[in-house]
Amino acid sequence: MTTVILLLTLAASPPSTAEKPSRIAQILGGAYQQVGVTLTYDGSYRSITFPGGDVPLERGVCTDVIVRAYRQAGIDLQLLVNQDMSGSFGSYPRLWDLSRPDPNIDHRRVHNLATFFRRNGQTIAVTTRPEDYRAGDLVTWRLPSGAPHIGLISDRVQNGRPLVVHNIGAGVEVADVLFSYEITGHYRYDP
């Protein structure tokens, strides 16, 4: 009986640090979980809970992929972006005629996430060498339409290039698009 209880106790105990997935693995897992779930591209303004708010999981935009992925690792970009903007509002783009931060939408804008990552993470050189992009890196692009876009570099490779987890209009997907658009930023953020 004692042995059984001991085994049950060991089985119920949390895994050791060596068995826990890395933060990057948690972030990537959070991104992959959105594939086939977030199917509708919808960037409309919504009032959401703060902190920890989100639009319905079946919809979202490219930034929502990033925010949801980081939440899987216990990092709330909605809160962090709001705090950074509140402390340094003038460092953020003035593209939306706002006079103060708005926790409903600020973290859902590519320019704001790029500014946050630049201010709080590492800015990495933009290159055309696939090996310079690591799993968990964040990349921003300017699409042919001029719209900004953001994606998460995956740990999967195709044709010698890392695949990207993103939502460009047809829901969250993992795709070979790293060099398909003009890259405007390359960041690493692992607080």
Side-chain angles (χ1 to χ4, degrees):
M1 187 70 160
T2 304
T3 304
V4 173
I5 292 171
L6 177 60
L7 290 175
L8 290 175
T9 303
L10 289 173
S13 64
S16 71
T17 304
E19 295 171 340
K20 289 183 183 176
S22 71
R23 189 181 316 235
I24 296 301
Q26 291 173 338
I27 292 166
L28 289 172
Y32 295 142
Q33 287 175 5
Q34 299 173 61
V35 176
V37 176
T38 304
L39 301 173
T40 303
Y41 191 88
D42 179 358
S44 60
Y45 183 94
R46 294 171 182 258
S47 293
I48 58 176
T49 305
F50 177 76
D54 197 3
V55 297
L57 187 57
E58 71 274 359
R59 58 188 57 246
V61 293
C62 59
T63 52
D64 294 317
V65 175
I66 307 305
V67 171
R68 291 170 179 155
Y70 270 83
R71 281 204 177 128
Q72 186 68 27
I75 301 165
D76 187 349
L77 289 172
Q78 179 194 27
L79 175 64
L80 294 172
V81 168
N82 181 266
Q83 289 173 337
D84 197 49
M85 287 184 83
S86 295
S88 189
F89 191 67
S91 298
Y92 281 80
R94 297 288 181 119
L95 302 174
W96 303 280
D97 296 324
L98 297 177
S99 59
R100 66 184 189 284
D102 181 347
N104 293 300
I105 193 73
D106 289 332
H107 62 293
R108 298 186 70 214
R109 292 181 163 150
V110 173
H111 293 296
N112 288 342
L113 281 185
T115 300
F116 175 81
F117 294 134
R118 187 172 53 252
R119 288 174 47 81
N120 297 281
Q122 293 178 296
T123 300
I124 309 298
V126 171
T127 73
T128 57
R129 294 186 310 267
E131 61 272 14
D132 292 339
Y133 296 84
R134 295 192 329 211
D137 284 2
L138 300 138
V139 175
T140 57
W141 297 268
R142 181 176 298 110
L143 300 178
S145 67
H149 185 55
I150 191 168
L152 180 69
I153 300 297
S154 80
D155 56 356
R156 301 173 186 173
V157 176
Q158 181 177 313
N159 301 320
R161 292 179 297 274
L163 300 179
V164 176
V165 186
H166 71 141
N167 183 351
I168 198 162
V172 178
E173 64 179 6
V174 183
D176 183 6
V177 297
L178 177 57
F179 300 120
S180 297
Y181 316 108
E182 177 191 353
I183 297 175
T184 58
H186 178 192
Y187 311 98
R188 288 194 184 125
Y189 181 68
D190 187 14

